[in-house]
């Protein structure tokens, strides 16, 4: 899908603020594709199979960084990690309970600035060759672990522009609406995670034309 160390096609436009290289900490997230169940997506996309899923989680509302947001499994690169791949897999195991032995790492993409939490984040792309049960491991960290059908993320009717207004300034970023597997909740994917998904879809040629003028307030 991508080569290790691949670069994004353009400057990362979703960073709000400036990252200080002297204090920025390395982090990694696992962008894990697979067939989490046999329930097809509602949207029929030409680019992907109806049963292709993306693993996501909802962060706990009590966290000091990005509370309540939908995110990829991941976190800070620890001294004991051999690099971003190790960190992304370790964090995914700690957060979702997945069996890392079933994950085939496809490669990494260039690190992206996340100034709001002072991190430089490397997305690690993976294929879930042998799926394993997943769920919330620590409720202090996350409240929900769920599959997001990729075709439904691609669907133009599920795409929005999230808007944040602070101190007289307005920030806009891609957003996606997605239901969980049971249809019991609708999640809004926005911010850094949505920016990665949006850029990845563009890079892979999966994006379908959508109306960016359809705006929603970011669920802060």
């Amino acid at each position: 899908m991508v080569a290790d160390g691949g670069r994004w096609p353009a400057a990362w436009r979703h960073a709000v603020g400036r990252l200080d290289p002297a204090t920025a900490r390395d982090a990694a997230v696992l962008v894990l594709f697979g067939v989490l169940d046999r329930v097809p997506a509602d949207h029929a996309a030409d680019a992907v199979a109806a049963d292709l899923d993306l693993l996501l989680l909802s962060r706990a509302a009590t966290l000091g960084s990005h509370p309540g947001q939908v995110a990829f499994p991941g976190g800070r690169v620890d001294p004991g990690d051999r690099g971003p791949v190790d960190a992304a897999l370790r964090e995914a195991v700690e957060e979702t309970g997945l069996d890392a032995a079933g994950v085939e790492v496809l490669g990494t993409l260039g690190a992206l600035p996340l100034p709001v939490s002072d991190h430089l984040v490397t997305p690690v792309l993976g294929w879930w060759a042998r799926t394993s049960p997943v769920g919330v491991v620590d409720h202090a960290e996350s409240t929900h672990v769920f599959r997001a059908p990729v075709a439904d993320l691609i669907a133009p009717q599920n795409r929005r522009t999230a808007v944040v207004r602070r101190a007289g300034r307005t920030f806009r970023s891609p957003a996606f609406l997605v239901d969980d597997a049971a249809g019991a909740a609708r999640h809004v994917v926005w911010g850094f995670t949505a920016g990665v998904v949006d850029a990845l879809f563009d890079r892979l040629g999966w994006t379908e034309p959508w109306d960016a003028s359809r705006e929603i307030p970011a669920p802060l």
Side-chain angles (χ1 to χ4, degrees):
M1 184 181 293
V2 292
D4 187 71
R7 294 183 179 275
W8 297 99
W12 182 242
R13 65 185 185 276
H14 302 300
V16 177
R18 291 189 177 185
L19 193 72
D20 184 350
T23 60
R25 297 159 292 182
D26 290 327
V29 294
L30 182 63
V31 184
L32 184 60
F33 293 95
V35 179
L36 278 66
D37 57 34
R38 295 294 173 180
V39 179
D42 292 329
H43 177 67
D46 292 333
V48 300
D51 58 1
L52 181 66
D53 298 318
L54 185 62
L55 183 66
L56 296 172
L57 57 84
S58 295
R59 293 171 57 82
T62 54
L63 290 175
S65 178
H66 314 293
Q69 289 190 22
V70 174
F72 300 115
R76 194 174 302 167
V77 178
D78 286 347
D81 296 323
R82 290 178 293 179
V85 172
D86 267 12
L89 291 173
R90 174 184 54 75
E91 288 281 350
V93 171
E94 293 175 1
E95 292 176 337
T96 73
L98 67 78
D99 181 1
V103 176
E104 294 181 2
V105 175
L106 303 177
T108 61
L109 292 172
L112 302 172
L114 190 57
V116 67
S117 60
D118 200 27
H119 283 95
L120 196 60
V121 185
T122 298
V124 177
L125 269 64
W127 171 249
W128 210 349
R130 297 187 305 278
T131 58
S132 52
V134 292
V136 175
V137 175
D138 184 353
H139 287 273
E141 293 285 338
S142 54
T143 59
H144 195 34
V145 174
F146 64 99
R147 62 179 281 265
V150 175
D152 287 345
L153 291 170
I154 292 171
Q157 64 268 26
N158 292 334
R159 302 211 56 178
R160 299 289 190 276
T161 296
V163 180
V164 178
R165 292 184 172 87
R166 287 178 176 165
R169 301 182 65 189
T170 300
F171 304 96
R172 290 178 171 84
S173 68
F176 301 82
L177 308 179
V178 61
D179 293 327
D180 66 16
R186 168 151 283 202
H187 303 274
V188 179
V189 186
W190 70 286
F192 177 85
T193 303
V196 172
V197 174
D198 174 72
L200 191 57
F201 285 179
D202 283 351
R203 178 169 182 159
L204 295 172
W206 293 357
T207 301
E208 296 180 6
W210 61 285
D211 184 0
S213 69
R214 300 178 69 185
E215 297 184 344
I216 58 171
L220 299 173

